[in-house]
Amino acid sequence: MGSVRAIQVERDLSPEPGKRRPSGLGTVTAVFLLASPLLLLSFLFGDRALASLAADYPVWQRLTAQGSGNASASRNAEGSGAHDRLLGGLLSPDFDAASCLSRYEASKRWKPSPFPASPYLIQKLRQYEANHRRCGPGTASYRAAMAQLMSGRNGDGAAGCKYVVWLPLQGLGNRMLSVVSTFLYALLTGRVLLVHETPEMEALFCEPFPGASWVLPPDFPYTDGFSAYTKESYVNMLENGIVRYDDAGGDAGALPAYVYFHLEQISLRLQNHTFCEEDHRVLDRFNWMVLRSDSYFAVALFLMPAYGGELGRMFPAKGSVFHLLGRYLLHPGNGAWGIVERFYDGYLAGADELLGIQVRIAPFIPMTFEAMYEQITRCAREHELLPQVMTGTTGEPSSAKVKKKKAVLVVSLKPEYYERLHSVYYTNATATGEVVAVFQPSHDQDQHTEALAHNERALAEIFLLSYSDRMLTSGFSTFGYVAHALAGIRPWLLMLPDRNTMRAQVACVRPASVEPCLHSPPSLVCRAQQDLDPVAHVPFLRRCEDVDVGFKLVD
């Protein structure tokens, strides 16, 4: 690759005129352009970038032509329209595709799912959609329920509609895990999910339910000031005698207007009385629930025998929960999706193999760049994720030696990991003759969950990672969990280092399933389960590879 210059282009990744545009995406650096006609490059990047590429075009053209019958042809064939746009019946066909471009387009780039949706799950989703249309914002049922809420009392539930209001907490990965968990809870309890869409999340995701909105109307009065100490929280109500286990047959209308359910992980432990059956019998009596969480608490729902039958029928493969519900529920809005399409089609689509590398330093163990980079390369070497280079060589491999083109997508807040990998594969030939191109869409340096443009870039990068053939992700990272669960692949998971040596004895491990980890399992102080260790008694539950106290679902 010695004759192929690195091309640095700064391009506008904004949506169409009149749409929201992310600001400050910054520079997208391409080591080697894998696929795109020159005319398209001229349109996207302008004359200067085209002129810069022209001198190298013969090499680019030759390498693109080689292997035209290999896996890249298979990858590009996914975009021909012969794809499962409804994901095996998971998605409803009752949408205007232009209103959400990602809904039916995402499947063109994903590999076929290893987990087909069960007929019962599909049935439950269609039933939920019908209930949401009947009870959602703007309906007579919603207005009646709001009137009862504003009366200060729980109401008699005559409208037959019950709600769970989701409030955002922490970064994008945590929010995606918790909103999927909340939706599963809604499926199990017959509630309608309403999402508090704060400014930094405005139109970040498409509406997931046909004919109705999931956005909480702005006049809803209870969205701020909640914490574990809020007097309306369920645990505080229980401790103060406002609700009791033994009054299940009492007057539901005498209950407070709503209950707040606090599911924030504090020191990796959820509050007591959050996933006991007797507690949920009380919670079910409230028509309105306000829920705030930063956890993948879907795992804890499987610990409750009352939900076991429904969960078993919906998910015969227990390790498929987030994979299926995430693909159903979470569709990037057109702004974020535009970033995905332009970057994927411009840089990644022509590769025979796409390796995703996601790097996130755990805030409680601040590793140096050198220590983390060594761990990444050690994992890649031990498991043959990246080809070895022939240091000291110049020029490019002969055509006869070129076997395939590998794209490496680096997703990190920092640019250093990309820059080091780029330098290695730009200046050295590979021992196998593979052409390796390294890309990084953005590097914001710090997390800015409060900024919409940052969240659009983060969401785009989660989806770009989810199109990987293989993936290397950081332990403890909810961002990484979401990406590999959407992809339906088990990544190589970078282990947290020893606090004393700041080095991981084992660089990476392969997790038991594609499911995310629940970092903060409930303490299970239920009266009948004082000493129960769920992992010892539940066959589809394991401890997390990267968090010793955590739980995860396995097949």
Side-chain angles (χ1 to χ4, degrees), residues 504-518:
Q505 184 175 2
V506 177
C508 57
V509 299
R510 203 86 183 273
S513 74
V514 308
E515 273 286 286
C517 174
L518 171 59

PDB file of all heavy atoms in Angstrom, residues 504-518:
ATOM      1  N   ALA A 504      -4.416  -6.372  32.274  1.00  0.00           N
ATOM      2  CA  ALA A 504      -5.315  -7.524  32.326  1.00  0.00           C
ATOM      3  C   ALA A 504      -4.512  -8.795  32.063  1.00  0.00           C
ATOM      4  O   ALA A 504      -3.790  -8.885  31.070  1.00  0.00           O
ATOM      5  CB  ALA A 504      -6.419  -7.373  31.286  1.00  0.00           C
ATOM      6  N   GLN A 505      -4.631  -9.762  32.976  1.00  0.00           N
ATOM      7  CA  GLN A 505      -3.899 -11.004  32.791  1.00  0.00           C
ATOM      8  C   GLN A 505      -4.350 -11.710  31.521  1.00  0.00           C
ATOM      9  O   GLN A 505      -3.541 -12.258  30.775  1.00  0.00           O
ATOM     10  CB  GLN A 505      -4.093 -11.917  34.006  1.00  0.00           C
ATOM     11  CG  GLN A 505      -3.292 -13.208  33.935  1.00  0.00           C
ATOM     12  CD  GLN A 505      -3.425 -14.032  35.202  1.00  0.00           C
ATOM     13  OE1 GLN A 505      -4.145 -13.665  36.122  1.00  0.00           O
ATOM     14  NE2 GLN A 505      -2.736 -15.164  35.263  1.00  0.00           N
ATOM     15  N   VAL A 506      -5.663 -11.722  31.272  1.00  0.00           N
ATOM     16  CA  VAL A 506      -6.234 -12.242  30.022  1.00  0.00           C
ATOM     17  C   VAL A 506      -6.728 -11.045  29.231  1.00  0.00           C
ATOM     18  O   VAL A 506      -7.536 -10.253  29.719  1.00  0.00           O
ATOM     19  CB  VAL A 506      -7.392 -13.214  30.310  1.00  0.00           C
ATOM     20  CG1 VAL A 506      -8.020 -13.694  29.011  1.00  0.00           C
ATOM     21  CG2 VAL A 506      -6.910 -14.377  31.153  1.00  0.00           C
ATOM     22  N   ALA A 507      -6.243 -10.896  28.017  1.00  0.00           N
ATOM     23  CA  ALA A 507      -6.571  -9.700  27.240  1.00  0.00           C
ATOM     24  C   ALA A 507      -8.051  -9.602  26.941  1.00  0.00           C
ATOM     25  O   ALA A 507      -8.662  -8.536  27.096  1.00  0.00           O
ATOM     26  CB  ALA A 507      -5.766  -9.690  25.938  1.00  0.00           C
ATOM     27  N   CYS A 508      -8.662 -10.697  26.507  1.00  0.00           N
ATOM     28  CA  CYS A 508     -10.063 -10.657  26.123  1.00  0.00           C
ATOM     29  C   CYS A 508     -10.658 -12.057  26.204  1.00  0.00           C
ATOM     30  O   CYS A 508      -9.943 -13.055  26.133  1.00  0.00           O
ATOM     31  CB  CYS A 508     -10.229 -10.096  24.703  1.00  0.00           C
ATOM     32  SG  CYS A 508      -9.311 -10.997  23.428  1.00  0.00           S
ATOM     33  N   VAL A 509     -11.972 -12.109  26.348  1.00  0.00           N
ATOM     34  CA  VAL A 509     -12.683 -13.378  26.395  1.00  0.00           C
ATOM     35  C   VAL A 509     -13.903 -13.275  25.494  1.00  0.00           C
ATOM     36  O   VAL A 509     -14.362 -12.185  25.144  1.00  0.00           O
ATOM     37  CB  VAL A 509     -13.119 -13.752  27.827  1.00  0.00           C
ATOM     38  CG1 VAL A 509     -11.924 -13.900  28.742  1.00  0.00           C
ATOM     39  CG2 VAL A 509     -14.100 -12.711  28.376  1.00  0.00           C
ATOM     40  N   ARG A 510     -14.441 -14.437  25.130  1.00  0.00           N
ATOM     41  CA  ARG A 510     -15.661 -14.481  24.334  1.00  0.00           C
ATOM     42  C   ARG A 510     -16.834 -14.693  25.279  1.00  0.00           C
ATOM     43  O   ARG A 510     -16.892 -15.701  25.989  1.00  0.00           O
ATOM     44  CB  ARG A 510     -15.569 -15.647  23.333  1.00  0.00           C
ATOM     45  CG  ARG A 510     -16.461 -15.503  22.110  1.00  0.00           C
ATOM     46  CD  ARG A 510     -15.773 -14.690  21.037  1.00  0.00           C
ATOM     47  NE  ARG A 510     -16.632 -14.481  19.877  1.00  0.00           N
ATOM     48  CZ  ARG A 510     -16.718 -15.337  18.851  1.00  0.00           C
ATOM     49  NH1 ARG A 510     -15.998 -16.445  18.852  1.00  0.00           N
ATOM     50  NH2 ARG A 510     -17.501 -15.052  17.825  1.00  0.00           N
ATOM     51  N   PRO A 511     -17.772 -13.758  25.373  1.00  0.00           N
ATOM     52  CA  PRO A 511     -18.891 -13.932  26.298  1.00  0.00           C
ATOM     53  C   PRO A 511     -19.779 -15.097  25.909  1.00  0.00           C
ATOM     54  O   PRO A 511     -19.793 -15.549  24.760  1.00  0.00           O
ATOM     55  CB  PRO A 511     -19.645 -12.599  26.206  1.00  0.00           C
ATOM     56  CG  PRO A 511     -19.234 -12.011  24.905  1.00  0.00           C
ATOM     57  CD  PRO A 511     -17.849 -12.491  24.637  1.00  0.00           C
ATOM     58  N   ALA A 512     -20.559 -15.565  26.872  1.00  0.00           N
ATOM     59  CA  ALA A 512     -21.386 -16.760  26.678  1.00  0.00           C
ATOM     60  C   ALA A 512     -22.569 -16.506  25.762  1.00  0.00           C
ATOM     61  O   ALA A 512     -23.137 -17.453  25.216  1.00  0.00           O
ATOM     62  CB  ALA A 512     -21.883 -17.273  28.027  1.00  0.00           C
ATOM     63  N   SER A 513     -22.982 -15.249  25.602  1.00  0.00           N
ATOM     64  CA  SER A 513     -24.110 -14.940  24.730  1.00  0.00           C
ATOM     65  C   SER A 513     -23.954 -13.523  24.215  1.00  0.00           C
ATOM     66  O   SER A 513     -23.051 -12.781  24.632  1.00  0.00           O
ATOM     67  CB  SER A 513     -25.436 -15.081  25.488  1.00  0.00           C
ATOM     68  OG  SER A 513     -25.618 -14.003  26.382  1.00  0.00           O
ATOM     69  N   VAL A 514     -24.861 -13.118  23.327  1.00  0.00           N
ATOM     70  CA  VAL A 514     -24.827 -11.758  22.790  1.00  0.00           C
ATOM     71  C   VAL A 514     -25.537 -10.781  23.715  1.00  0.00           C
ATOM     72  O   VAL A 514     -25.536  -9.571  23.462  1.00  0.00           O
ATOM     73  CB  VAL A 514     -25.453 -11.680  21.379  1.00  0.00           C
ATOM     74  CG1 VAL A 514     -24.840 -12.712  20.458  1.00  0.00           C
ATOM     75  CG2 VAL A 514     -26.970 -11.841  21.417  1.00  0.00           C
ATOM     76  N   GLU A 515     -26.145 -11.257  24.790  1.00  0.00           N
ATOM     77  CA  GLU A 515     -26.923 -10.408  25.682  1.00  0.00           C
ATOM     78  C   GLU A 515     -26.044  -9.432  26.470  1.00  0.00           C
ATOM     79  O   GLU A 515     -24.926  -9.767  26.867  1.00  0.00           O
ATOM     80  CB  GLU A 515     -27.686 -11.272  26.683  1.00  0.00           C
ATOM     81  CG  GLU A 515     -29.029 -11.754  26.210  1.00  0.00           C
ATOM     82  CD  GLU A 515     -30.052 -10.634  26.205  1.00  0.00           C
ATOM     83  OE1 GLU A 515     -30.525 -10.226  27.274  1.00  0.00           O
ATOM     84  OE2 GLU A 515     -30.399 -10.163  25.099  1.00  0.00           O
ATOM     85  N   PRO A 516     -26.566  -8.234  26.722  1.00  0.00           N
ATOM     86  CA  PRO A 516     -25.871  -7.301  27.622  1.00  0.00           C
ATOM     87  C   PRO A 516     -25.862  -7.813  29.050  1.00  0.00           C
ATOM     88  O   PRO A 516     -26.627  -8.706  29.426  1.00  0.00           O
ATOM     89  CB  PRO A 516     -26.706  -6.016  27.509  1.00  0.00           C
ATOM     90  CG  PRO A 516     -27.490  -6.153  26.247  1.00  0.00           C
ATOM     91  CD  PRO A 516     -27.753  -7.626  26.101  1.00  0.00           C
ATOM     92  N   CYS A 517     -25.000  -7.213  29.846  1.00  0.00           N
ATOM     93  CA  CYS A 517     -24.875  -7.575  31.263  1.00  0.00           C
ATOM     94  C   CYS A 517     -25.704  -6.626  32.115  1.00  0.00           C
ATOM     95  O   CYS A 517     -25.731  -5.413  31.863  1.00  0.00           O
ATOM     96  CB  CYS A 517     -23.403  -7.490  31.676  1.00  0.00           C
ATOM     97  SG  CYS A 517     -23.090  -7.752  33.448  1.00  0.00           S
ATOM     98  N   LEU A 518     -26.392  -7.172  33.107  1.00  0.00           N
ATOM     99  CA  LEU A 518     -27.011  -6.356  34.153  1.00  0.00           C
ATOM    100  C   LEU A 518     -25.957  -6.146  35.231  1.00  0.00           C
ATOM    101  O   LEU A 518     -25.659  -7.058  36.009  1.00  0.00           O
ATOM    102  CB  LEU A 518     -28.247  -7.047  34.716  1.00  0.00           C
ATOM    103  CG  LEU A 518     -28.867  -6.409  35.968  1.00  0.00           C
ATOM    104  CD1 LEU A 518     -29.283  -4.974  35.718  1.00  0.00           C
ATOM    105  CD2 LEU A 518     -30.042  -7.237  36.477  1.00  0.00           C
TER     106      LEU A 518
END
